[in-house]
Amino acid sequence: MLLLVAIIWGSSYAVAKQALWFYPVLGFLAIRFGLTFVLLLPQLRGDGRRAVRPGVPLGLVMLGIFLCETWGVMLTTASNAAFLISLCVVFTPFVEWMMLRQRPSGLLFAASVLSVVGVWLLTGGVGMTLNLGDGLMLAAALLRAVLVCLTRRLTASEQVPPLALTAVQSGVVASGCLLLGVSLPGGLPALPTSPVFWSAALYLVGFATLFALYVQNRALGRTSATRVSLLMGSEPLFGALIAGLWLGERLGLQGWLGGLLILAATFCALRSAARPTSSQPGHAASAPA
């Protein structure tokens, strides 16, 4: 399921770029996560109320991720964005070690390095320059690592329904973007009427948000944050494949070599995931319903 999410997120860059032709970043994010919150609102009844306490801080972190990531993609090249956001694969073991006192295995450290080298080759190798957009993508990568580790820390001691947690996170992101949007000079423009925009928005709500965040939140109750991050680290490879099929882009030999390294890192993560984690120091085994 995590690999399927990586495929969906790989396609989301092209879909989001299309949507941003018709509406600004803050308004687009408010619509995307506002629709998600409305659809998931019934999940907050009964046991779903447990999601409010962890969901608010997690939603604030997610707000920072999407603001940095969306503006970062607009201000840098696609190859730089793919490489820098994938640094969350490297950040996660160290953030997990610091926050959860859970030292990753040597295999996971090796897989992290292998994945980053693969993304580096896939996105152009040494031909990189850093600008403001790159800095925003770097911040988003660090916040992604913080999010997966903080999710595990805040939900490990109680059964938090994943869909309810996604609802709270989405509500926080939508509210934050809406408040920022209306507070800026000129506010937000009228809602777009283009079918292309709404098709893109519904795809991102249904698959890249609802399904993806549900799978991520559920997986974090069953395996380590580092393994989740590594499996999601194959996202740039799928993004390149989809770009080739959809937009006609082509990878050279170096790009395909990078993609193979990413897949190798993913298989390492799957092999490591087959090992029990409850014996690791500082790990509290739990699985949300």
Side-chain angles (χ1 to χ4, degrees):
M1 291 177 73
L2 286 169
L3 287 174
L4 180 57
V5 169
I7 296 172
I8 292 170
W9 278 359
S11 70
S12 68
Y13 290 102
V15 175
K17 280 183 177 291
Q18 285 186 327
L20 291 172
W21 293 344
F22 302 94
Y23 213 55
V25 170
L26 289 172
F28 168 64
L29 291 176
I31 290 172
R32 173 180 173 180
F33 288 97
L35 288 173
T36 304
F37 175 73
V38 170
L39 290 172
L40 290 180
L41 192 57
Q43 299 295 325
L44 295 178
R45 293 177 297 185
D47 289 343
R49 296 174 184 173
R50 299 175 185 171
V52 174
R53 185 174 180 180
V56 171
L58 293 175
L60 290 173
V61 176
M62 199 165 78
L63 173 63
I65 291 172
F66 279 96
L67 290 176
C68 291
E69 193 173 295
T70 308
W71 263 307
V73 167
M74 294 178 64
L75 297 174
T76 188
T77 64
S79 60
N80 280 20
F83 172 72
L84 291 170
I85 198 65
S86 295
L87 284 176
C88 66
V89 175
V90 172
F91 293 154
T92 300
F94 298 100
V95 174
E96 186 175 37
W97 196 355
M98 180 179 67
M99 292 180 59
L100 306 180
R101 299 296 188 267
Q102 182 175 331
R103 189 182 187 280
S105 67
L107 181 60
L108 284 171
F109 273 115
S112 296
V113 174
L114 194 63
S115 179
V116 170
V117 173
V119 172
W120 180 70
L121 290 172
L122 182 68
T123 55
V126 296
M128 293 185 62
T129 57
L130 296 177
N131 56 31
L132 176 59
D134 298 327
L136 289 172
M137 296 305 299
L138 187 63
L142 179 59
L143 287 173
R144 275 196 183 192
V146 171
L147 179 66
V148 292
C149 295
L150 190 61
T151 299
R152 186 154 183 81
R153 181 174 183 176
L154 295 181
T155 61
S157 60
E158 56 182 305
Q159 302 289 319
V160 178
L163 282 177
L165 184 60
T166 302
V168 177
Q169 289 174 296
S170 299
V172 172
V173 174
S175 300
C177 290
L178 189 60
L179 289 173
L180 288 173
V182 299
S183 65
L184 293 176
L188 293 173
L191 291 176
T193 58
S194 169
V196 175
F197 172 84
W198 289 106
S199 296
L202 291 175
Y203 171 80
L204 292 173
V205 168
F207 294 97
T209 304
L210 281 176
F211 176 73
L213 291 180
Y214 168 76
V215 169
Q216 179 175 279
N217 288 335
R218 186 174 180 83
L220 284 167
R222 297 176 178 270
T223 187
S224 75
T226 298
R227 290 171 187 150
V228 171
S229 183
L230 279 167
L231 289 168
M232 308 295 272
S234 58
E235 172 190 337
L237 172 62
F238 294 118
L241 293 173
I242 292 168
L245 294 172
W246 189 359
L247 303 177
E249 297 180 4
R250 293 292 180 266
L251 287 175
L253 178 60
Q254 177 178 284
W256 285 114
L257 177 59
L260 290 175
L261 289 178
I262 293 171
L263 288 179
T266 302
F267 284 125
C268 287
L270 288 170
R271 181 178 179 182
S272 180
R275 300 176 181 178
T277 61
S278 58
S279 61
Q280 295 177 359
H283 175 77
S286 64

